[in-house]
């Protein structure tokens, strides 16, 4: 049995875990990091990064198919699914290797294996015992399952299987229309699959503003994606080299299905219950500095609850590392965490939805359609809008909701504005460059106060 000792031991090498480890090392702590699989976690290896590679291929396919409207005839494109998938795996591998370099650069010892907590200062990885003054749980989350849907990796896929398909399904069923389900719908539709997207809630993208979600539904439907809301899967079984699904009382055949109905924290088998770490709804409860109910034990990222986003995890990693080192970091403000969906069209948001904001008092709402934006018209991509929500009395920006090309890159402008407590007057006085899609952000602000120029 090998024994080791650290000032801080991080369990999990995803975006939150490796960021916490790096920041703690920068602050002079001796840091160890336990990881059972690839460095970078689900996000880098099986989520954020490889899916963006797939979705970029889908974007290129759409550009090619629409090129004739710009006067460019390139003929019918040919899809090589194996190459598209292979590139996405290469991208994930390249960046995972970069994380290994960062661990060495910052003198962080990476320990391979499964971690179990004996007490708040002792962890076992296999037979090896590790002691640490502080422990950070960064174990992430795993996809939820449905009792009557069995993921087999053959024709019923989870996200990992859907990223490495052995074949392109002619008819594809996607169960769950959150960000992951919607992104897969965009990818497979662009590759040529006939896609049906179903969602139990009354709107797709349940976390988004209802107006933007409805706009997204209309856009997906116009592309040929069949979208059913308020609809669940009643049964799904393999039959005759395909799948037979019962949806809303009717039976329908599909070639494959993707299950994407949310996630739950990875908390089992670690000894948390015996240690007294408090859980709620499958996630670890934490305070403003990410400390759990057990002193010296912290939790960050997906395992500490929604929103389950990589950038939230990374920021929480910095907060807890600085708190452990004796500094006084600013706690994370969850109303200022942007959310992005990389479908076509893209969706991005920050802050309160219209429904949430209206429950807090009088508000002003601005809207600006991209069909009135010069750059959007020039690049032939006008399907979208920018929506902003302000407190009527104070001018505080309460929320921003965007759908259209490039909005996942533009949302940060509103995030910075909210972080700096910018008012509507500040935003209206800001000079936006022309011609850009970002001008629609400015026009949306002007719209909220009856000053729109170009619509």
């Amino acid at each position: 049995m090998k024994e080791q000792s650290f000032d801080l031991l991080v369990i999990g090498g995803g975006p939150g875990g490796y960021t916490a480890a790096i920041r703690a090392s920068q602050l002079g702590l001796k840091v160890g990091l336990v990881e059972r699989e690839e460095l970078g976690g689900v996000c880098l290896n099986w989520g954020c990064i490889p899916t963006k590679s797939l979705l970029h291929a889908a974007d290129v396919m759409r550009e090619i198919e629409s090129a004739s409207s710009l006067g460019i005839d390139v003929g019918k494109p040919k899809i090589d699914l194996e190459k598209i998938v292979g590139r996405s795996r290469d991208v994930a591998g390249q960046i995972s290797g970069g994380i290994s370099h960062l661990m060495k650069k910052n003198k962080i010892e990476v320990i391979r294996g499964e971690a179990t907590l004996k007490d708040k200062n002792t962890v076992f990885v296999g037979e090896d015992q590790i002691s640490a003054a502080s422990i950070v749980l960064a174990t992430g989350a795993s996809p939820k399952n449905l009792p009557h849907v069995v993921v087999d990796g053959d024709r019923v896929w989870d996200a990992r299987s859907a990223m490495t398909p052995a074949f392109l399904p002619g008819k594809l069923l996607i169960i769950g229309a959150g960000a992951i389900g919607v992104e897969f719908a965009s990818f497979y539709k662009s590759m040529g699959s006939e896609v049906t997207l179903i969602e139990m809630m009354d709107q797709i993208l349940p976390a988004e503003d209802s107006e933007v979600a409805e706009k997204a539904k209309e856009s997906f439907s116009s592309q040929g994606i069949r979208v059913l809301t308020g609809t669940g899967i009643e049964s799904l079984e393999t039959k005759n080299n395909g799948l037979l699904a019962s949806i809303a009382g009717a039976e329908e055949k599909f070639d494959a299905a993707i299950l994407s109905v949310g996630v739950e924290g990875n908390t089992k088998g670690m000894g948390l219950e015996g240690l007294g770490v408090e859980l709620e709804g499958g996630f670890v409860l934490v305070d403003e500095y990410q400390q759990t109910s057990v002193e010296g034990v912290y939790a960050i990222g997906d395992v500490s609850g929604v929103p389950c986003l990589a950038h939230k995890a990374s920021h929480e990693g910095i907060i807890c590392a600085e708190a452990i080192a004796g500094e006084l970091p600013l706690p994370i403000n969850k109303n200022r965490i942007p959310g992005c969906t990389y479908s076509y069209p893209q969706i991005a948001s920050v802050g309160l939805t219209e429904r949430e904001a209206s429950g807090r008092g009088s508000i002003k709402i601005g809207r600006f359609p991209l069909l009135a934006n010069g750059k959007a018209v020039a690049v032939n991509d006008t399907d979208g809008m920018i929506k902003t929500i302000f407190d009527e009395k104070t001018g505080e920006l309460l929320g921003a909701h965007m759908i259209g090309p490039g909005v996942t890159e533009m949302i940060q402008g509103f995030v910075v504005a909210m972080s700096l407590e910018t008012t509507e007057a500040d935003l209206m006085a800001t000079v936006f460059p022309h011609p850009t899609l970002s001008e629609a952000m400015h026009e949306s602000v002007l719209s909220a106060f009856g000053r729109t120029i170009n619509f």
Side-chain angles (χ1 to χ4, degrees):
M1 183 179 73
K2 181 181 178 182
E3 294 188 12
Q4 293 177 280
S5 179
F6 298 97
D7 297 319
L8 171 63
L9 183 69
V10 180
I11 302 174
Y18 80 71
T19 299
I22 290 172
R23 184 66 184 124
S25 180
Q26 289 174 343
L27 292 168
L29 302 183
K30 182 183 179 183
V31 183
L33 184 148
V34 181
E35 175 53 58
R36 65 185 181 185
E37 297 182 2
E38 304 97 338
L39 288 172
V42 170
C43 170
L44 193 156
N45 294 286
W46 294 102
C48 318
I49 301 302
T51 55
K52 300 309 149 309
S53 175
L54 297 177
L55 288 163
H56 176 64
D59 288 339
V60 171
M61 175 63 73
R62 277 189 299 272
E63 290 284 345
I64 293 172
E65 289 177 339
S66 65
S68 60
S69 66
L70 303 176
I72 303 170
D73 188 1
V74 294
K76 185 174 177 59
K78 181 181 178 182
I79 293 172
D80 187 328
L81 186 63
E82 186 177 351
K83 281 188 177 181
I84 291 172
V85 171
R87 181 181 183 276
S88 76
R89 303 315 309 150
D90 290 343
V91 167
Q94 177 183 338
I95 300 181
S96 182
I99 304 303
S100 295
H101 169 73
L102 289 174
M103 296 298 97
K104 293 175 182 177
K105 175 184 175 183
N106 288 280
K107 298 179 173 61
I108 296 161
E109 183 168 349
V110 177
I111 302 155
R112 297 290 180 172
E114 295 267 359
T116 304
L117 280 72
K118 178 183 178 183
D119 57 49
K120 69 175 186 176
N121 299 114
T122 310
V123 173
F124 279 94
V125 179
E127 295 183 355
D128 296 339
Q129 180 175 310
I130 304 169
S131 60
S134 299
I135 294 170
V136 174
L137 307 174
T139 52
S142 297
K144 286 183 179 179
N145 293 312
L146 294 176
H148 54 297
V149 177
V150 179
V151 173
D152 58 17
D154 182 18
R155 290 190 179 273
V156 183
W157 300 338
D158 58 10
R160 291 195 183 198
S161 301
M163 276 185 277
T164 55
F167 66 97
L168 185 65
K171 287 189 66 177
L172 174 67
L173 172 65
I174 300 178
I175 307 165
I180 294 172
V182 161
E183 288 183 357
F184 278 128
S186 271
F187 171 71
Y188 278 99
K189 176 59 183 175
S190 294
M191 293 298 105
S193 297
E194 183 182 327
V195 178
T196 295
L197 179 65
I198 65 172
E199 170 58 49
M200 276 290 294
M201 304 292 284
D202 61 358
Q203 69 172 56
I204 64 170
L205 299 164
E208 298 294 342
D209 182 85
S210 59
E211 185 176 1
V212 168
E214 185 59 30
K215 176 69 176 173
K217 181 180 178 181
E218 292 172 1
S219 180
F220 298 151
S221 297
S222 70
Q223 296 171 47
I225 297 172
R226 178 183 171 208
V227 182
L228 304 175
T229 53
T231 304
I233 181 78
E234 294 154 12
S235 66
L236 184 67
E237 59 183 26
T238 303
K239 195 168 185 179
N240 299 328
N241 294 320
L243 296 173
L244 186 63
S246 179
I247 304 170
E251 291 190 337
E252 190 168 350
K253 293 181 180 179
F254 294 93
D255 298 301
I258 300 172
L259 182 63
S260 177
V261 292
V263 298
E264 55 190 0
N266 291 330
T267 61
K268 297 175 182 176
M270 296 178 59
L272 301 186
E273 296 83 355
L275 194 60
V277 172
E278 193 173 349
L279 306 176
E280 184 177 83
F283 297 99
V284 178
L285 287 176
V286 294
D287 67 12
E288 61 183 350
Y289 297 112
Q290 304 301 129
Q291 186 166 235
T292 71
S293 55
V294 176
E295 185 179 1
V297 178
Y298 296 74
I300 61 174
D302 292 1
V303 76
S304 67
V306 296
C308 294
L309 301 168
H311 43 283
K312 175 245 192 187
S314 298
H315 199 79
E316 288 176 340
I318 291 171
I319 289 170
C320 80
E322 292 180 350
I324 290 166
E327 299 197 355
L328 292 174
L330 287 174
I332 196 166
N333 184 335
K334 291 190 176 181
N335 277 334
R336 294 175 183 170
I337 300 173
C340 298
T341 302
Y342 298 83
S343 54
Y344 179 80
Q346 294 181 5
I347 297 104
S349 62
V350 64
L352 304 180
T353 65
E354 180 179 352
R355 183 179 302 169
E356 291 167 339
S358 61
R360 300 192 180 192
S362 299
I363 57 174
K364 283 187 171 292
I365 299 175
R367 299 175 179 85
F368 191 79
L370 292 185
L371 58 85
N373 174 267
K375 178 66 178 294
V377 173
V379 300
N380 195 31
D381 203 344
T382 60
D383 188 12
M385 64 171 288
I386 313 294
K387 178 178 180 177
T388 46
I389 305 169
F390 293 87
D391 184 291
E392 184 174 22
K393 294 181 181 178
T394 66
E396 177 188 1
L397 177 61
L398 299 176
H401 307 276
M402 314 166 74
I403 178 169
V407 297
T408 58
E409 299 291 343
M410 295 193 294
I411 190 62
Q412 195 60 21
F414 283 134
V415 178
V416 171
M418 292 175 73
S419 296
L420 296 176
E421 299 183 349
T422 302
T423 66
E424 91 290 3
D426 297 319
L427 286 168
M428 286 193 286
T430 299
V431 178
F432 284 70
H434 174 80
T436 63
L437 296 170
S438 69
E439 289 178 281
M441 298 167 64
H442 192 215
E443 290 278 9
S444 178
V445 175
L446 294 172
S447 168
F449 296 87
R451 292 177 49 181
T452 308
I453 301 296
N454 290 294
F455 186 71

